[in-house]
Amino acid sequence: MHQEAEATASAEARGPATYDLVIRRAHDFDGRRKLTGLYDVAVDGAEIASVSAEPLAGRQEIDAAGAWVMPGLIDTHVHFYDVRAVSDPDSMRAFEENELPGRLGLFLEHGVTTIKSVGDPTGGILDTRAGIAEGTLRGPRLLATGCGITGRDGHRDVGTRRLRQWLARR
């Protein structure tokens, strides 16, 4: 089935509905292909409910004015904590209170909906992940590996030595 006909057929099969959100007149890339033309994208809850060349109704509507709708981006290698600035309990607290919320927000503002933290302080990054899950922090889905493990004379970056020494004493 041709992609435009497929999108329209899915909307017709469902019949007239009012969705939670409709993004109008958007170019659409679904992760596999770009649809030709402009479409309305309907969202119910956290799920895309319909993509249609015909107008859809929403309780909330956004005019995309020809902008793009696409799947969220994933950053699979993030060192989230600033290891040059976080080296003791006070600097950790200052980072988490003053910088962390803004950094999380920047990911979302740039279309990154999932990040994987590698090598960050385990307790801090797990608390951050819990805050996002509970809704007390606004940020992307957060996957975490925890602190890095290395052998003697392994990863010896001078910028991280103080942080690793402090974390080892915790």
Side-chain angles (χ1 to χ4, degrees):
M1 181 182 288
H2 194 279
Q3 59 189 6
E4 287 88 356
E6 184 178 298
T8 302
S10 69
E12 289 172 356
R14 188 174 163 137
T18 301
Y19 299 97
D20 293 337
L21 170 68
V22 171
I23 303 169
R24 297 196 168 287
R25 302 182 324 120
H27 289 284
D28 184 72
F29 175 71
D30 68 5
R32 292 175 293 165
R33 66 182 186 269
K34 171 196 174 288
L35 299 180
T36 304
L38 298 177
Y39 287 82
D40 281 8
V41 178
V43 178
D44 270 334
E47 302 288 324
I48 294 176
S50 183
V51 176
S52 174
E54 300 300 318
L56 298 173
R59 287 183 272 289
Q60 179 182 2
E61 297 182 1
I62 297 171
D63 184 1
W68 285 87
V69 173
M70 59 184 254
L73 302 172
I74 300 171
D75 190 333
T76 62
H77 190 117
V78 174
H79 297 283
F80 193 73
Y81 280 71
D82 183 350
V83 296
R84 290 174 301 279
V86 176
S87 59
D88 57 46
D90 291 335
S91 61
M92 173 81 92
R93 191 174 315 104
F95 173 81
E96 291 174 338
E97 291 174 4
N98 302 323
E99 293 185 46
L100 184 136
R103 287 186 182 200
L104 289 170
L106 283 173
F107 284 106
L108 296 176
E109 289 171 24
H110 290 92
V112 178
T113 59
T114 303
I115 60 175
K116 182 173 83 174
S117 158
V118 294
D120 284 311
T122 305
I125 205 68
L126 293 179
D127 289 346
T128 299
R129 184 175 69 180
I132 292 169
E134 294 163 359
T136 58
L137 282 172
R138 182 178 171 268
R141 177 182 319 143
L142 175 57
L143 309 173
T145 63
C147 262
I149 300 171
T150 185
R152 182 173 305 184
D153 298 327
H155 187 59
R156 299 198 65 178
D157 179 42
V158 173
T160 64
R161 188 174 301 136
R162 290 183 316 164
L163 175 62
R164 289 193 320 263
Q165 289 168 348
W166 170 62
L167 290 169
R169 292 189 304 265
R170 287 180 76 192

